[in-house]
Amino acid sequence: MIQVLHISAECYPAAKTGGLADVVGSLPKYQTEAGVLSAAVIPKYSLKWINQREWVTVYGGAIRVDWRTVGFTVQQEKNNTLGFPFFVVDIPGLYDRPGIYNDPAGHPYGDEVERYIVFQQAVLQWLLSFPQQERPKVLHCHDHHTGLIPFMVKHCPQYNDLALIPTVFTIHNGQYQGMFGKSSLHLMPFFEANAYGLLEWNGIINPMASALRCAWAVTTVSETYLYELHESSLGLERLFRDEWRKQSGIINGIDARVWDPETDPAIEHRLEGDDIQAFKLKNKKALCEWFGLPLDQPIISFIGRIVGEKGCDLLPDAFRSYIHAGGKASFLVLGTGEPWTQNQFRQMAYQYPGHFNAIIDYNEALAHQIYAGSDFLIMPSRVEPCGLNQMYAMRYGTIPIVHTVGGLKDTVPDIGDPGGAGRGIRFDRFDLGDIGWAIHRGASMWHHDPYAISEIRKRIMALDFSWERTIESYFQVYRGANAAIRVEKRQMVEPSSPPAKQENKSEPVAEPVVKKASGKKSKIKTAETPALPVTKKKAKKQ
């Protein structure tokens, strides 16, 4: 029996734009391995990974939206390859598109409000088909895309039969709250008239505000980020402070099996024994050969979404200033995002060969190689609820340079702090002066104090950021919300036959058969998109 159902818009590797997908793709697996069977459900997008999998329909139904009836099916991934039961909701016309939030040209879909209201109702209607004793013990909702579920189960009569299931709402990014105007209220299912105030905040419908009020428990993905939301959350500050009793900050974990320098199939050279220096040098040589960068200078890389929230608009001027000042470091960027900043990076790749290169692409395999081969990873985020990249970097011996915000503050103490437990370099002010000084500190240490670099690498690679150390905190949150979860020692078996198909019936959903995660990973292809510019320059010998 599924005890925890994670409901989300993203789940790696099926659908990903950021850290939300990484969490939803890992947390259920580790909860399941800990004896609490957990599952995840997302919309069925027309994306490569989803289209290549086999799916078995386990439920079929229809949602009434205004004057229309929208049909849907719930499908389970046939072979349970993720290590936990994984479901998608197929809603033809709303999600069978080649993008999660935007079309291939980068334009947002104009019917987002309807898409997520229908998705949330479809999940709830599916859950109503479970016998009461077999329903999940927790509905774990992630971000505003699922923020109306805590309201719906309490105040929409058609879903009241689910009202006693505790709801937990996790905020991965409080900058996106899913707000919409009253003109779209007709898309909502019928709800109790006196409950309208639980939907509205400052004159507009706000799913995140509704979840803050209606969920049994609320978590953020780091403790510092929770405090930051109390001070700055786009108008929700008072609500966050009012609801403080049910809030917790839990730092995210990473999948230590995927991010393992000893076994990672996506990197050129794996860690052998404890020879960190050889591991870093060999992988750095690969980067230098691919992207025309010198081996005798530190590589400072950025990986992620090229958007203002990540502070990317500060990077072009910061990199130019350092290069023009004669600084001895090279820079590498991997990511996609805002066209204006992307174009600056493209121009800089041609303007500063041997000092800067950029790969304007989403490439998971190349990201692994950059973590393994870089000396530093820079994260100048304006907002960083948790941050996973700094944890990936430290796992591969790459020293983070970070802005002192959110989860970056929680996970990266500065190397200059008393006690000798520093893990990276922090800067407090979001300006060229502070970030320039942070870059100089890192490069200067690399050139003049290799022993310090070596010791920091040993320290950060020994850290444990795995989910195993985090899941108990979530179990405590569930129990604090009166969820009757229990740890079970279950026999994990190979799938035998697929769940029985159900269509528009209130029969029990077939019990998913779960395969134990083996820890083995499939071979990941290395980067196919060339750097800008494509260079034939050989790396300088050390």
Side-chain angles (χ1 to χ4, degrees):
M1 181 184 70
I2 295 172
Q3 296 197 60
V4 181
L5 179 64
H6 293 268
I7 311 166
S8 173
E10 301 180 33
C11 178
Y12 177 79
K16 174 179 175 176
T17 64
L20 168 62
D22 289 322
V23 173
V24 179
S26 299
L27 184 54
K29 177 169 69 175
Y30 286 97
Q31 289 180 334
T32 296
E33 290 184 1
V36 176
L37 180 60
S38 302
V41 58
I42 68 169
K44 189 177 186 182
Y45 309 100
S46 183
L47 300 176
K48 182 178 179 180
W49 190 94
I50 292 176
N51 292 338
Q52 289 178 341
R53 291 300 181 278
E54 289 187 68
W55 301 94
V56 177
T57 298
V58 297
Y59 180 79
I63 297 295
R64 187 77 175 171
V65 183
D66 197 13
W67 53 272
R68 295 179 296 114
T69 298
V70 178
F72 71 91
T73 58
V74 179
Q75 302 168 6
Q76 182 175 3
E77 202 258 318
K78 183 177 180 180
N79 296 314
N80 293 305
T81 58
L82 300 186
F84 58 88
F86 180 54
F87 301 88
V88 292
V89 182
D90 186 18
I91 312 174
L94 288 181
Y95 284 102
D96 48 351
R97 306 172 185 177
I100 299 174
Y101 310 113
N102 305 316
D103 64 23
H107 303 298
Y109 293 122
D111 56 353
E112 181 178 284
V113 175
E114 179 180 354
R115 295 173 85 210
Y116 289 110
I117 288 178
V118 171
F119 167 64
Q120 292 171 89
Q121 288 192 77
V123 171
L124 295 181
Q125 183 169 308
W126 170 46
L127 293 177
L128 286 173
S129 73
F130 285 56
Q132 190 159 1
Q133 68 275 14
E134 294 183 12
R135 289 172 182 166
K137 305 302 181 186
V138 179
L139 302 183
H140 194 147
C141 306
H142 294 267
D143 265 352
H144 75 84
H145 321 95
T146 60
L148 294 173
I149 285 177
F151 173 87
M152 289 180 182
V153 297
K154 284 185 175 181
H155 302 289
C156 294
Q158 69 191 95
Y159 304 124
N160 276 169
D161 203 30
L162 303 172
L164 295 181
I165 302 178
T167 53
V168 174
F169 181 67
T170 293
I171 299 171
H172 297 262
N173 193 330
Q175 300 295 301
Y176 302 100
Q177 300 177 5
M179 296 177 285
F180 59 92
K182 298 176 183 177
S183 61
S184 297
L185 201 58
H186 64 283
L187 299 173
M188 286 285 293
F190 177 77
F191 58 86
E192 299 160 356
N194 61 1
Y196 171 75
L198 297 173
L199 289 172
E200 181 266 347
W201 185 259
N202 289 338
I204 196 166
I205 309 303
N206 188 318
M208 184 167 289
S210 178
L212 280 168
R213 289 160 155 166
C214 298
W216 295 39
V218 174
T219 71
T220 61
V221 290
S222 73
E223 193 169 350
T224 293
Y225 187 57
L226 177 58
Y227 298 145
E228 290 175 351
L229 289 171
H230 284 221
E231 300 299 324
S232 177
S233 49
L234 300 181
L236 296 184
E237 296 83 5
R238 178 167 60 85
L239 182 57
F240 270 101
R241 290 194 286 268
D242 289 345
E243 299 288 346
W244 67 270
R245 293 170 184 82
K246 61 182 178 183
Q247 298 168 4
S248 305
I250 304 174
I251 200 78
N252 282 335
I254 64 173
D255 192 330
R257 297 173 196 164
V258 173
W259 299 94
D260 186 347
E262 294 184 351
T263 61
D264 191 340
I267 61 178
E268 288 289 296
H269 303 280
R270 301 185 185 96
L271 177 65
E272 297 179 0
D274 58 357
D275 195 349
I276 296 173
Q277 183 176 354
F279 165 74
K280 294 298 294 183
L281 181 59
K282 290 177 182 178
N283 282 293
K284 182 176 181 178
K285 283 181 178 178
L287 283 186
C288 291
E289 291 172 2
W290 294 354
F291 302 116
L293 301 175
L295 190 60
D296 62 349
Q297 294 183 7
I299 296 178
I300 302 173
S301 297
F302 171 86
I303 300 172
R305 291 183 295 127
I306 302 174
V307 294
E309 179 185 315
K310 298 297 182 182
C312 292
D313 52 313
L314 192 64
L315 290 180
D317 285 339
F319 294 163
R320 286 191 196 100
S321 297
Y322 191 79
I323 293 170
H324 289 169
K328 295 189 180 301
S330 52
F331 303 94
L332 186 60
V333 169
L334 170 66
T336 61
E338 295 170 350
W340 185 82
T341 309
Q342 285 185 169
N343 290 337
Q344 287 202 77
F345 288 142
R346 287 189 175 103
Q347 292 171 1
M348 290 174 64
Y350 287 100
Q351 188 177 1
Y352 304 108
H355 296 281
F356 178 88
N357 216 327
I359 308 92
I360 307 303
D361 187 20
Y362 171 81
N363 191 312
E364 189 79 18
L366 179 56
H368 284 239
Q369 182 62 45
I370 293 175
Y371 286 122
S374 298
D375 297 294
F376 299 91
L377 181 82
I378 192 162
M379 297 180 68
S381 306
R382 283 183 172 86
V383 178
E384 195 62 71
C386 174
L388 296 174
N389 289 11
Q390 80 277 16
M391 300 185 206
Y392 300 149
M394 288 188 276
R395 181 89 166 127
Y396 288 75
T398 296
I399 301 170
I401 300 174
V402 303
H403 186 204
T404 309
V405 294
L408 300 178
K409 180 180 179 181
D410 290 347
T411 56
V412 187
D414 190 89
I415 55 175
D417 290 348
R423 302 172 183 173
I425 296 169
R426 296 203 322 220
F427 59 97
D428 297 333
R429 296 193 307 272
F430 187 83
D431 59 35
L432 285 174
D434 250 25
I435 193 174
W437 175 244
I439 291 171
H440 172 73
R441 285 179 66 196
S444 179
M445 181 171 60
W446 190 90
H447 284 290
H448 302 296
D449 197 349
Y451 176 77
I453 293 288
S454 176
E455 290 302 301
I456 294 169
R457 284 175 175 167
K458 291 178 186 176
R459 184 184 310 148
I460 61 181
M461 291 185 77
L463 296 170
D464 181 11
F465 287 116
S466 65
W467 276 111
E468 283 93 344
R469 78 192 219 308
T470 300
I471 54 174
E472 184 56 39
S473 298
Y474 279 105
F475 292 162
Q476 290 174 9
V477 169
Y478 299 157
R479 294 185 181 107
N482 293 322
I485 63 166
R486 60 186 180 276
V487 175
E488 299 176 340
K489 187 174 181 180
R490 298 178 301 103
Q491 174 127 17
M492 307 290 274
V493 296
E494 296 290 331
S496 52
S497 57
K501 181 177 180 180
Q502 300 179 49
E503 295 182 355
N504 299 308
K505 294 181 181 179
S506 296
E507 297 176 0
V509 115
E511 180 71 10
V513 183
V514 185
K515 179 175 68 175
K516 184 174 182 179
S518 65
K520 296 181 180 179
K521 298 173 282 297
S522 59
K523 182 74 175 175
I524 305 174
K525 291 181 70 177
T526 52
E528 295 180 355
T529 303
L532 297 170
V534 178
T535 176
K536 296 181 180 178
K537 181 177 177 180
K538 291 287 185 183
K540 193 161 59 175
K541 298 291 183 184
Q542 199 171 33

